[in-house]
Every structure is written in C-alpha cells, then in structure tokens.
Amino acid sequence: TLPAPTGIPGRQYIVKMITSANPVTVDSPGTLDIDNAETHVLSAGAVLHSAAFVSDGTKWWVVSKE
C-alpha cells in the first residue's frame, strides 16, 4: 500500500515483482488515487515487472512500467 499522496508532491515509489507466481496489487488509502483507479496490478507470469508511482500532492500517477 502506498501512503496517502497528499502533502508529498514529487515523492516517487518503484514497485518491482521478484517472482512470477502471483500478481502484485498496489493500493492507496484513498479512492481512485492511482491514475484514477482504485489499484494498479503487476500481472503474474513475468519476473521483474515494475512500475513507478509519483505523487502530484493529490493523486498517484503511474509514470513508467515494464
């Protein structure tokens, strides 16, 4: 779970899968806080999937993913 995006504009987190067995669901304490969605899922089946999340002070935005 990412922290609330409020008050931390510019903060960045990178989430990386290290196993392909299960999907990884990234959540935020608010509603529609991640690219206007409830959650962001890194799909199972590929090792080293990753996503970078940056706060604009109100929401989290996915700025890159592999």
Side-chain angles (χ1 to χ4, degrees):
T1 300
L2 295 170
T6 53
I8 53 172
R11 174 80 50 94
Q12 179 174 320
Y13 288 95
I14 298 171
V15 177
K16 179 176 83 169
M17 288 182 67
I18 56 172
T19 180
S20 63
N22 299 304
V24 173
T25 301
V26 179
D27 200 356
S28 180
T31 302
L32 301 178
D33 272 353
I34 302 175
D35 250 2
N36 295 318
E38 297 283 334
T39 61
H40 182 81
V41 178
L42 300 176
S43 301
V47 177
L48 303 180
H49 269 181
S50 65
F53 304 86
V54 174
S55 168
D56 67 1
T58 305
K59 294 185 179 211
W60 289 104
W61 296 99
V62 179
V63 294
S64 70
K65 57 184 172 180
E66 294 182 16

